[in-house]
Amino acid sequence: GAVVSQHPSWVICKSGTSVKIECRSLDFQATTMFWYRQFPKQSLMLMATSNEGSKATYEQGVEKDKFLINHASLTLSTLTVTSAHPEDSSFYICSAANPGQGTYEQYFGPGTRLTVT
Amino acid sequence: LAKTTQPISMDSYEGQEVNITCSHNNIATNDYITWYQQFPSQGPRFIIQGYKTKVTNEVASLFIPADRKSSTLSLPRVSLSDTAVYYCLVGGADSWGKLQFGAGTQVVVTP
């Protein structure tokens, strides 16, 4: 399967600072990327969907001004958590897909553990 | 948007076959059924995808009845390393961008 990477794999930041997480599809062109958040012992919660070159579509309850998503190329999407607070501490996972290839499979990154102190 | 229902947990012994059934009563015509495996602190890993009847790959089989309102993931001869959470995801062209993970099934394999 296709390979998706995330960077960093974990990050600790102070409350009020911003953190950027990168998601890269290494061996295919991802026309669509998804961002999820997962709290301990819970399922993945979809935060937003981004298509290359257009604005992200956010799920209800997700603040678009707090979670900035940029999908500037077919291989890179970034999630910036602005003015992070302890309640933003979570496991953030991205996935990449190219439904134009006839499959609706998502290729997931390894995740980024964010801890806000 | 198809909602999925799975058992919360399943226990098995090594070497046994594990079957996890997912209910998706309002699956749409264009929807595919995809199963993912997730280990703690890792991203989900694709297991198998199907539209109807039976699909088999090197790690699992997926059985989908004619009405497509449910699907069963079959893991043959599980090992300890198959202990993970398994998610059933239903979606396709019409629901693209709105895919939601259900609660998943925690499978625990013991010696």
Side-chain angles (χ1 to χ4, degrees):
Chain A
V3 179
V4 176
S5 69
Q6 284 185 239
H7 178 79
S9 56
W10 59 271
V11 57
I12 301 173
C13 71
K14 292 187 176 181
S15 186
T17 61
S18 296
V19 173
K20 179 184 286 188
I21 302 170
E22 291 186 350
C23 176
R24 293 182 184 273
S25 60
L26 301 182
D27 52 4
F28 78 106
Q29 294 184 327
T31 55
T32 304
M33 286 189 170
F34 300 91
W35 286 94
Y36 295 85
R37 180 167 53 180
Q38 187 174 35
F39 294 106
K41 304 293 185 182
Q42 294 186 20
S43 183
L44 287 76
M45 295 189 302
L46 180 65
M47 298 176 67
T49 303
S50 71
N51 292 301
E52 184 264 340
S54 60
K55 291 184 178 181
T57 301
Y58 291 81
E59 292 300 298
Q60 190 172 10
V62 178
E63 301 174 55
K64 63 180 181 181
D65 294 330
K66 180 172 183 62
F67 299 98
L68 302 178
I69 292 172
N70 184 281
H71 189 171
S73 76
L74 288 172
T75 59
L76 173 65
S77 177
T78 60
L79 168 66
T80 301
V81 183
T82 62
S83 187
H85 292 285
E87 57 265 31
D88 298 322
S89 297
S90 187
F91 191 52
Y92 291 87
I93 308 170
C94 73
S95 72
N98 190 334
Q101 295 181 336
T103 172
Y104 294 93
E105 180 181 343
Q106 297 182 51
Y107 303 97
F108 286 85
T112 297
R113 176 75 59 191
L114 170 63
T115 302
V116 184
T117 60
Chain B
L1 192 63
K3 179 181 177 181
T4 60
T5 303
Q6 304 173 229
I8 295 297
S9 64
M10 297 183 72
D11 296 331
S12 180
Y13 292 105
E14 277 189 297
Q16 290 188 329
E17 178 181 81
V18 172
N19 296 306
I20 310 171
T21 296
C22 177
S23 297
H24 28 80
N25 291 320
N26 57 340
I27 186 170
T29 302
N30 295 332
D31 286 345
Y32 284 78
I33 301 157
T34 311
W35 285 81
Y36 292 90
Q37 175 193 57
Q38 187 184 28
F39 297 111
S41 296
Q42 294 187 26
R45 184 177 73 99
F46 171 86
I47 300 176
I48 197 166
Q49 183 181 77
Y51 182 81
K52 62 180 179 180
T53 62
K54 176 183 175 182
V55 180
T56 298
N57 62 23
E58 62 275 10
V59 297
S61 294
L62 178 59
F63 299 92
I64 306 169
D67 66 6
R68 303 199 329 123
K69 293 184 182 299
S70 67
S71 58
T72 299
L73 174 71
S74 180
L75 305 172
R77 300 178 298 281
V78 294
S79 63
L80 298 178
S81 62
D82 292 316
T83 294
V85 178
Y86 293 81
Y87 294 99
C88 162
L89 203 64
V90 174
D94 295 336
S95 57
W96 193 245
K98 304 175 185 176
L99 302 175
Q100 301 284 355
F101 277 75
T105 298
Q106 173 69 63
V107 172
V108 177
V109 181
T110 54

